[in-house]
């Protein structure tokens, strides 16, 4: 059995969130869009399969999308609470 990363799981988004199934992996999930001051090192060292803790929300999140990163500007990030 091969391990599956979170990003590979999200290729099966419909299954994970129960769109076509009565069984859910994520039964109750919260999707949040937030803005972060990311730098080049944050982007270069980012590993999507590793959840991040966001102190403001007091919870761990899966980073679903990082939208239009531009150095020196806030970046929109879509998070799913775990």
């Amino acid at each position: 059995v091969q391990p599956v990363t979170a990003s590979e799981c999200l290729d099966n988004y419909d299954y994970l969130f129960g769109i076509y199934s009565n069984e859910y992996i994520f039964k109750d999930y919260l999707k949040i869009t937030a803005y972060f001051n990311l730098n080049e090192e944050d982007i270069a060292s980012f590993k999507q399969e590793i959840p991040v803790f966001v102190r403001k929300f007091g919870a761990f999140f899966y980073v679903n999308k990082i939208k239009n990163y531009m150095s020196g500007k806030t970046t929109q990030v879509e998070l799913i609470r775990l």
Side-chain angles (χ1 to χ4, degrees), residues 2-70:
Q2 294 291 328
V4 178
T5 66
S7 59
E8 290 172 319
C9 284
L10 283 176
D11 290 339
N12 298 314
Y13 181 88
D14 294 339
Y15 169 73
L16 290 173
F17 293 96
I19 294 170
Y20 297 113
S21 171
N22 290 330
E23 294 186 25
Y24 301 103
I25 290 177
F26 296 121
K27 199 177 251 185
D28 297 315
Y29 71 94
L30 176 65
K31 183 168 64 170
I32 295 175
T33 300
Y35 290 84
F36 293 89
N37 292 316
L38 302 175
N39 59 41
E40 291 175 9
E41 185 179 332
D42 294 330
I43 298 299
S45 64
F46 176 69
K47 293 184 174 26
Q48 191 172 21
E49 63 273 7
I50 299 175
V52 295
F53 184 80
V54 181
R55 190 176 336 174
K56 178 179 179 177
F57 301 117
F60 281 93
F61 291 86
Y62 170 77
V63 178
N64 194 43
K65 294 179 186 172
I66 297 175
K67 296 184 178 181
N68 303 323
Y69 167 75
M70 291 176 54

